[in-house]
Amino acid sequence: MSPWRIDRTLVAALIVLLAVFGVFELSHLDIAVQDHLFDFARGRWLIDAQAPVWRFWLYNLPKWLIIALGVALLALAVGPARWRARWPIAAPARRQLWVAFLTIGAVPTVIGQLKATTNIFCPSEVRRYGGDVPYVRVIECYPENDTPTRRGRCWPAGHASGGFALLALMGLARTRRGQRIGLALGLGAGGLMGFYQMAKGAHYLSHTLITALLAWIGFLLMRRAFGVHRLRELSEPGDPSGSVDDRR
């Protein structure tokens, strides 16, 4: 079965991004979800942010694995065609590897820049959950007489962005089955990493969903930047999925 034409989803993804942003900005869904993750009687979150086991499995280890995967993709992209021929599903083209590698690197970087400018605080920092700042959404301003002296760095979700960036692995697949594997890895890793952050008071649900959509859009834009969305790739010796340009 031929693979999905994922590049046709760009406009739909942009529309969904705006819709999700609007729904959460005009409702109290974030608070409703977060209330279920916080024990008001004991004043603590579902997951202790300092618990070493949770932090290793859901924070440190995923980051290390994503970095290792990025290094492997880079090696395949710059290495000889025979390396790519050993890819377990179907040998990817050089430019597809560059798209995957750069997406995994660029998405967390862009999300990090957004976090530095949006001035939104994490749930654990707002007064409702024992913090010291008022709850304010992205489109709102802080009260004139209640403006925090420091800047918030919590929107979108930085940690989950690395996991959702793995959606770029869909671009390495030649079949729908391979694309499903890439989709499952990206959504699974990003969702698990995002839930961990929510459960310890580091993010709201909207932060995680917005990050997932931004990662997907970033991946599609990277494909356009490299021309992967429109070029029919031809085979190269030792790399059956490579394009003519990939031989160089």
Side-chain angles (χ1 to χ4, degrees), residues 17-235:
L17 175 65
L18 292 175
V20 170
F21 181 81
V23 166
F24 279 92
E25 288 298 305
L26 299 175
S27 72
H28 296 286
L29 282 175
D30 271 336
I31 293 296
V33 172
Q34 215 64 34
D35 281 356
H36 286 84
L37 301 175
F38 186 73
D39 187 336
F40 287 93
R42 300 181 180 181
R44 65 186 187 187
W45 293 98
L46 180 64
I47 293 179
D48 182 0
Q50 304 304 319
V53 174
W54 286 110
R55 184 171 180 83
F56 172 78
W57 286 105
L58 296 179
Y59 192 86
N60 293 327
L61 183 61
K63 290 177 66 173
W64 297 338
L65 291 176
I66 292 170
I67 291 173
L69 176 61
V71 172
L73 291 172
L74 177 60
L76 287 172
V78 301
R82 66 176 182 275
W83 291 4
R84 296 188 292 282
R86 297 175 182 174
W87 189 259
I89 301 175
R94 193 188 301 273
R95 68 179 61 194
Q96 291 174 316
L97 289 162
W98 277 115
V99 167
F101 167 72
L102 292 175
T103 299
I104 291 174
V107 167
T109 300
V110 172
I111 295 298
Q113 291 299 314
L114 286 173
K115 288 179 61 176
T117 59
T118 51
N119 196 24
I120 297 298
F121 287 89
C122 303
S124 60
E125 298 176 290
V126 303
R127 295 192 185 109
R128 183 181 185 86
Y129 304 112
D132 60 349
V133 299
Y135 170 67
V136 172
R137 287 166 285 198
V138 178
I139 61 175
E140 297 175 331
C141 296
Y142 289 97
E144 189 173 332
N145 60 346
D146 196 11
T147 301
T149 57
R150 67 185 190 279
R151 292 185 61 83
R153 293 178 55 89
C154 202
W155 189 94
H159 182 53
S161 67
F164 287 124
L166 297 182
L167 289 168
L169 295 177
M170 287 185 69
L172 304 180
R174 293 287 177 172
T175 63
R176 290 191 182 183
R177 179 177 178 275
Q179 288 179 326
R180 290 191 188 101
I181 293 174
L183 179 65
L185 287 172
L187 292 181
L192 189 61
M193 294 162 74
F195 177 76
Y196 169 69
Q197 293 293 83
M198 290 172 56
K200 69 186 186 74
H203 283 294
Y204 296 100
L205 175 60
S206 65
H207 299 190
T208 304
L209 296 180
I210 291 293
T211 297
L213 289 164
L214 289 176
W216 181 251
I217 292 169
F219 165 51
L220 296 181
L221 292 177
M222 193 70 73
R223 285 173 61 86
R224 287 175 176 266
F226 276 76
V228 174
H229 72 296
R230 59 181 173 80
L231 293 180
R232 181 178 181 84
E233 293 172 343
L234 304 175
S235 296

